[in-house]
C-alpha cells in the first residue's frame, strides 16, 4: 500500500524533517521553484521509446538472477518484475512504463544502536569518493555533470536511501555507475570523516594558539535541526514511544553524542550494512531492464553472500500508558508567552507490512484530524486552547510499526491534563457515534483522484513512499496494488457499519501502548545547552597530550590543503552540452474568449483529470488592504459559502475536487525591472465527471463568501501564525498519494527575501506577502480579535471576487474539451463584472537601498543572504548571470561555506532581476559576507575554466528542461508571460555563454554594485549596530 500522506497544509507534519537527513537540502529546489515559471514546459519528455513488451528476465542473466514475481499493475500502467540475486540475495525491483523520467535507488536497512549519527555520517562520507571515482565529493561534482531531475541521499530512522532520476539514458547509466561504486566501494578516508562527521580544530584555523573546538558538517547540520523545538519534540516522541531497539536513538545524531563516534566505528558500520545482502535496488521508467542489469549485475557479482540480521524486532507492548516530560527553548516569535507548552498523545499501532490495517488506520487518522469537520478539529482547535495541532500529529508509517499522534501546541502548561482528557473523551465519542458517511466518501474520493492526478516526479515518488514499507517487507509489488486494498476497505464497511468504530476502540481506546509527552520552554535552555557543549569541548581538550594536539593540527591543515586543492574530476562520466538540442517545442496551447474572459487551453494526457487556473488582477487593491491579500487568499476556501458552513464546504470540496486553492502571484516584467503584475492565482482540479460540481463550489465562493464569523478568522490566523512562526512550509496539496509531504525550513528563504527586497521592487512586494514582515504581521494579528480582519476581507471581496481583469487556463484530455469549455463558459457567464486585462504596476518611485538587516531568532545557527540588482529576463546578460550563479555555487561557495565553513550549504542564484548569495545553517555570520565578495574576485581573476562553464550551463539546463506533468504544461506563459520563442532564446543564450561572458557580467553588474541588500537571520549579536546593521526583534 502506498504511503498515504494527508494534505500537508492542514496538519503539521514534521516527521520527514526530523527523521530524514538529506545529503543536500531541498533549498536549491525551493529557490528554483521561485523562478520555475521561467522554466520549460517539458513537452519533449514523453517517452520516445516504444512501450516495453511484457517483461522477461534476459537470458544471459538467468544464471545469476531469479524471478520472484512478475506482474502488471493496472493502476499505473506499470509492468513490475521483482528479482533476487542468486549469490548475495540482493533484491531488485524494476517497474517498466512509458515514462522517460527514469528513476533509480539503492537502499540499505541501517539500524544504529546509538545516537552518534553513524548512519547519517556514513551517508555523507559514502558519497565522498570511491575506487572507480577517487575524487573529492563525486556526488556534488555529478550535480554539475548531469541532467538529473533529482539527486540526493537520505537517512531515515532505519534505512539509508540513495535515489536519483533523469530523462537522459546516458546520464542514467553514468549516475547509476557513480552511485553503485560509491555505496559498494567507497574510499571512506579519514579526512572525509573529519570533514563530514566531526573533528577538533582550532577555532581560527589560521591561529594555532586559538582554542580547539568541534566542527563538522553533520555536527552542525544536527545542531541546526534540533534547535527547532518542533523537530526535537518529534525526535523525543519517537525515542520514547518505541524505545527498545533502533528507534530509541537518533539516526541523524544528537550533537552531544556525535563526537563519541570513531572513524573505525564508521568503517565497521559500512562493512556490516552496505552489503548487497542487505540491499534493495529499484529502477523505474522506459530504459530496458537488460540495460540496467548490465551495471547492477557487474557490481553484485563481486560479492559473496553475507549472513547479517538487520531486522528490527517488534516493540514489546506496555501494560500501562507512559508519561514523559521534555523541555525546549522559549519561542520569542510566539504571540502569547503564557502559552508555549505542547502536549501529544501517541499510540503504537500495527506492523506497516499489514497493508489492509495500514490503510484503515490511515483513513481513521484522516477522519480524526484532517479538515475542519474532523472531531479533533472541533474539540481541540476550535475552543482555542492552543494554536494548532502539535508536531507529528497524524498517522505515521515511516518506521516498522505505525503510530498515530494527536496533540496540541501553544497551550498553557495548566491545560496539559485538560487536553489529554479531551483526547480520551473525543475518541470515546467516536467509538459511540462513528464518522459521518459523507466524510468517509470524501476521503475515499480523494484517494481515487490521487491515483489519477500526477504531480512531480512519479518514479521517484514511488520509491520515496515505498521505502519504509519495502524495508521490512518481502513483497514491494503488493504495495502498488492500491485498488485491491480500496475494494477490501469498501467491502468491510459495507459488511459492518461499525467497522471503523471497532477499529478506533481496538487501536486507541483499548491501547495500553500509549505515550503522553509534554514539552515546556525553559528560559535557560539554550544557555544550558551551550554550556554542555563548552564543557564537552573542555573535557576533550583536557585529555589531549601535546602529541595529540600536533596530530590534530596536522590533520586540520591536511584537510584544508585538500579542500583547497583543485582535483581532477575527469574520471567522472559527464553529459555534454552538445547533447542538449537547440530546438525547443512547447506544448500546443489554444487561445479563445469565453464570456469575454481570455482563456487558454492545452489538450494533454491528463488521465481524466481536468485542471482549472485563473489569475485575478489585484493591482487595484489599495496598499493598506494589500497586506491582507495573502491571508485572504489562503482562507478563501476555508470560510464557508452560500448555504454551506465552512465544515460542509470543506467536505464538498473534498468530495468533488482535489482542493480549491488561492495564492498571491507576482510576475516581474520581462523587460523592465521596475514593473510587474500583481495577481491572485486560483487553482483546482477534479475528475472529468465532476467539473460542474467544481465550478459550482467556486461560484458559491464568488457570490456569497461567509465573512461574518470573527471566531473562525481568529482560529485560522492563529494556526497560520503558528506554522509561519515554526519557520516551516509544506509542499504539496491535498493529495493522499504520491506527494511525499516534505516540510521545508523557510528561514533561508526569509533571509533571501529580506535581502532582495532592498534592491528590487518585485522582491519587495514578495517580501511583504511572504517574508519576515508577513510572519511578524501574523503574530501581531494572532493577538487581536477577528473583526478588524473581517472588515478588510469584506473590502477585498468587493474588489476581487468578480471577472474584472481575469484570465483562465485549462488543461484537459481531448475527450473532455467540449464539456470543460461549456462548463467554464457557464461559470464565467454567472460571475459579476466586466472583462478587462491584467494591469502592469509601475514602481517608478522604488529606491534601491544599501540595507543590512538582522532578524534575531532563538537558534544558535545563522542564515545569511546578500542580493544585488541585475537585469530583467530578456536582457542578453540574464543567461550569463544564471550560469555564473551556478559556477560560483559549485566551484567556490560550496567549498568555502560548506566544506571549510561547516555550514549545511551555501550558493548563489540569479533570477527575478536579482543576483542573490545565500548560506544556511551557517555557524559563521559576517565572515560569510566576505566569502560572497571573494567569490566575485575569484571569478574575475581568471579562475573559471571552460569545463566549469560547461558544468554551470548543464546545471542551468537541469532546471530549464525539467520534465513537466501534463496538468501543468503551458502554464509557464500563462503565469510569467514567457512565450516559447522568448524561452528558447534564453535556452540558446545559456548554451552560448563563454568564460569571458562570466568575467564581463561579474565586472559589469556585480563587483562594483553601488548598493546591495544584506540579511542575517540568527541569534542576537553584540556590535552589529555599530557596523550599520538594523536589528529586528519579533
Ligand atoms: Zn545530512
Amino acid at each position: 500500500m502506498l504511503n498515504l500522506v494527508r494534505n500537508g497544509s492542514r496538519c503539521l507534519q514534521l516527521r520527514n524533517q526530523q527523521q530524514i537527513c538529506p545529503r543536500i537540502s531541498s533549498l536549491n529546489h525551493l529557490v528554483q521553484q521561485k523562478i520555475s515559471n521561467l522554466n520549460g514546459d517539458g513537452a519533449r519528455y514523453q517517452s520516445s521509446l516504444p512501450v516495453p513488451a511484457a517483461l522477461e528476465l534476459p537470458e544471459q542473466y538467468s544464471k545469476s538472477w531469479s524471478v520472484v514475481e512478475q506482474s502488471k499493475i493496472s493502476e499505473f500502467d506499470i509492468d513490475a518484475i521483482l528479482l533476487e540475486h542468486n549469490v548475495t540475495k540482493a533484491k531488485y525491483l524494476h517497474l517498466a512504463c512509458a515514462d522517460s523520467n527514469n528513476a533509480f535507488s539503492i537502499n540499505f536497512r541501517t539500524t544504529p544502536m546509538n545516537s552518534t549519527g553513524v548512519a547519517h555520517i556514513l551517508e555523507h562520507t559514502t558519497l565522498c569518493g570511491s575506487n572507480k571515482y577517487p575524487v573529492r565529493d563525486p556526488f556534488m561534482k555529478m550535480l554539475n555533470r548531469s541532467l538529473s531531475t533529482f539527486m540526493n541521499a537520505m537517512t531515515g530512522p532505519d534505512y539509508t536511501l540513495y535515489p536519483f532520476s533523469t530523462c537522459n539514458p546516458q546520464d542514467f547509466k553514468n549516475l547509476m555507475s557513480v552511485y553503485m561504486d560509491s555505496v559498494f566501494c567507497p574510499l571512506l578516508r579519514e579526512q572525509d570523516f573529519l570533514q563530514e562527521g566531526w573533528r577538533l580544530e582550532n577555532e581560527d584555523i589560521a591561529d594555532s594558539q586559538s582554542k580547539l573546538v568541534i566542527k563538522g558538517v553533520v555536527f552542525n547540520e544536527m545542531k541546526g535541526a534540533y534547535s527547532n523545538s518542533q523537530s526535537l519534540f518529534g525526535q523525543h516522541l519517537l525515542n520514547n514511544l518505541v524505545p527498545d531497539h533502533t528507534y530509541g536513538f537518533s539516526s541523524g545524531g544528537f550533537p552531544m553524542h556525535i563526537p563519541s563516534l570513531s572513524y573505525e566505528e564508521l568503517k565497521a558500520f559500512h562493512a556490516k550494512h552496505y552489503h548487497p545482502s542487505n540491499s534493495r535496488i529499484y529502477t523505474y521508467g522506459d530504459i530496458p531492464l537488460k540495460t540496467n542489469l548490465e551495471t547492477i549485475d557487474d557490481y553484485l557479482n563481486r560479492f559473496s553472500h553475507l549472513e547479517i540480521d538487520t531486522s528490527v524486532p517488534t516493540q514489546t507492548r506496555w501494560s500501562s500508558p507512559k508519561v514523559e516530560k521534555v523541555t525546549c527553548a522559549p519561542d520569542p516569535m510566539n504571540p502569547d508567552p503564557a502559552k508555549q507548552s505542547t502536549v501529544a498523545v501517541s499510540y503504537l499501532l500495527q506492523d506497516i507490512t499489514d497493508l489492509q490495517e495500514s490503510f484503515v488506520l490511515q483513513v481513521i487518522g484522516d477522519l480524526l484530524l484532517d479538515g475542519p469537520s474532523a472531531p479533533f478539529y472541533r474539540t481541540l482547535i476550535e475552543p482555542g486552547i492552543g494554536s494548532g495541532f502539535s508536531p507529528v500529529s497524524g498517522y505515521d508509517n515511516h518506521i516498522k510499526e505505525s503510530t498515530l499522534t494527536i496533540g496540541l501546541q501553544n497551550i498553557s502548561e495548566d491545560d496539559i491534563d485538560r487536553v489529554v482528557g479531551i483526547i480520551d473523551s473525543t475518541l470515546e465519542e467516536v467509538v459511540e457515534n462513528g464518522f459521518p458517511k459523507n466524510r468517509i466518501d470524501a476521503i475515499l474520493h480523494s484517494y481515487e483522484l490521487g491515483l489519477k492526478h500526477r504531480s512531480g516526479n512519479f518514479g521517484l515518488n514511488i520509491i520515496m513512499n515505498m521505502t519504509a514499507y519495502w524495508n521490512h517487507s518481502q513483497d514491494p509489488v503488493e504495495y502498488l496494488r492500491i485498488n485491491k486494498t480500496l475494494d477490501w476497505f469498501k467491502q468491510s464497511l459495507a459488511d459492518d457499519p461499525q467497522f471503523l468504530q471497532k477499529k478506533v476502540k481496538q487501536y486507541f481506546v483499548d491501547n495500553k501502548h500509549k505515550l503522553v509527552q509534554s514539552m515546556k520552554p525553559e528560559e535557560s535552555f539554550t544557555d544550558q545547552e551551550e554550556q554542555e557543549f563548552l564543557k564537552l569541548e573542555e573535557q576533550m581538550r583536557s585529555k589531549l597530550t601535546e602529541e595529540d594536539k600536533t596530530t590534530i593540527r596536522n590533520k586540520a591543515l591536511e584537510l584544508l590543503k585538500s579542500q583547497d586543492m583543485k582535483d581532477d574530476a575527469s574520471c567522472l562520466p559527464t553529459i555534454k552540452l552538445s547533447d542538449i538540442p537547440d530546438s525547443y517545442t512547447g506544448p500546443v496551447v489554444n487561445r479563445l474568449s469565453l464570456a469575454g474572459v481570455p482563456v487558454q487551453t492545452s489538450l494533454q494526457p491528463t488521465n481524466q483529470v481536468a485542471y482549472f487556473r485563473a489569475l485575478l488582477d489585484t493591482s487595484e487593491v489599495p496598499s493598506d488592504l494589500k497586506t491582507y491579500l495573502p491571508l485572504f487568499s489562503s482562507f478563501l476556501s476555508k470560510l464557508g459559502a452560500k448555504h454551506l458552513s465552512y465544515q460542509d464546504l470543506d467536505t464538498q470540496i473534498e468530495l468533488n475536487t482535489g482542493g480549491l486553492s488561492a495564492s498571491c502571484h507576482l510576475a516581474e516584467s520581462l523587460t523592465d525591472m521596475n514593473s510587474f503584475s500583481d495577481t491572485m492565482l486560483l487553482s483546482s482540479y477534479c475528475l472529468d465527471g465532476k467539473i460542474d460540481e467544481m465550478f459550482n463550489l467556486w461560484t458559491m465562493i464568488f457570490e456569497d463568501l461567509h465573512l461574518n464569523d470573527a471566531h473562525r478568522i481568529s482560529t485560522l490566523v492563529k494556526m497560520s501564525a503558528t506554522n509561519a512562526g515554526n519557520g516551516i512550509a509544506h509542499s504539496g496539496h491535498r493529495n493522499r498519494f504520491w506527494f511525499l509531504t516534505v516540510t521545508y525550513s523557510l528561514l533561508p528563504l526569509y533571509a533571501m527575501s529580506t535581502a532582495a527586497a532592498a534592491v528590487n521592487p518585485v522582491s519587495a512586494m514578495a517580501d511583504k506577502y511572504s517574508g519576515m514582515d508577513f510572519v511578524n504581521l501574523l503574530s501581531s494579528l494572532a493577538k487581536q480579535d477577528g473583526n478588524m480582519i473581517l472588515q478588510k476581507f469584506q473590502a477585498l471581496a468587493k474588489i476581487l471576487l468578480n471577472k474584472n481583469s481575469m484570465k483562465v487556463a485549462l488543461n484537459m484530455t481531448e475527450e473532455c474539451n467540449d464539456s470543460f469549455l461549456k462548463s467554464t463558459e457557464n461559470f464565467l457567464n454567472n460571475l459579476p463584472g466586466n472583462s478587462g486585462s491584467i494591469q502592469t504596476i509601475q514602481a517608478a518611485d522604488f529606491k534601491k537601498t544599501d540595507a543590512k538587516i538582522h532578524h534575531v531568532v532563538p537558534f544558535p545557527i545563522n542564515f545569511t543572504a546578500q542580493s544585488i540588482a541585475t537585469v530583467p529576463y530578456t536582457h542578453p546578460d540574464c543567461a550569463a548571470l544564471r550560469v555564473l550563479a551556478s559556477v560560483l555555487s559549485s566551484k567556490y561557495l560550496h567549498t568555502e561555506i560548506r566544506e571549510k565553513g561547516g555550514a549545511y550549504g551555501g550558493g548563489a542564484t540569479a533570477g527575478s532581476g536579482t543576483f542573490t548569495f545565500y548560506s544556511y545553517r551557517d555557524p559563521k555570520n559576517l565572515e560569510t559576507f566576505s566569502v560572497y565578495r571573494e567569490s566575485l574576485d575569484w571569478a574575475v581573476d581568471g579562475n573559471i575554466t571552460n569545463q566549469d562553464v560547461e558544468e554551470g550551463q548543464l546545471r542551468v539546463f537541469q532546471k530549464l528542461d525539467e520534465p513537466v506533468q501534463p496538468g501543468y504544461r503551458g502554464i509557464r506563459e500563462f503565469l510569467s508571460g514567457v512565450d516559447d520563442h522568448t524561452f528558447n532564446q534564453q535556452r540558446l543564450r545559456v548554451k552560448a555563454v563563454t568564460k569571458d561572458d562570466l568575467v564581463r557580467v561579474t565586472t559589469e553588474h556585480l563587483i562594483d554594485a553601488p548598493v546591495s541588500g544584506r540579511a542575517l537571520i540568527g541569534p542576537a549579536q553584540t556590535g552589529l549596530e555599530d557596523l550599520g546593521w538594523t536589528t529586528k526583534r519579533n
Side-chain angles (χ1 to χ4, degrees), residues 864-876:
T864 76
Q866 181 170 5
S867 199
I868 298 165
T870 53
V871 297
Y873 186 81
T874 51
H875 190 285

Side-chain angles (χ1 to χ4, degrees), residues 641-665:
K642 264 226 154 119
H643 61 282
L644 298 177
S645 67
Y646 62 85
Q647 293 97 334
D648 293 341
L649 176 61
D650 186 80
T651 304
Q652 287 304 317
I653 288 174
E654 193 162 18
L655 265 172
N656 295 293
T657 75
L660 306 186
S661 76
S663 58
C664 295
H665 178 74

Side-chain angles (χ1 to χ4, degrees), residues 21-24 120 123-124 153 155 217-218 221-222 898 904:
C21 308
R23 176 76 160 84
I24 50 172
H120 182 192
E123 172 232 298
H124 278 242
T155 311
V217 171
V218 169
E221 181 191 335
M222 296 318 293
R898 176 168 165 138
Y904 191 31

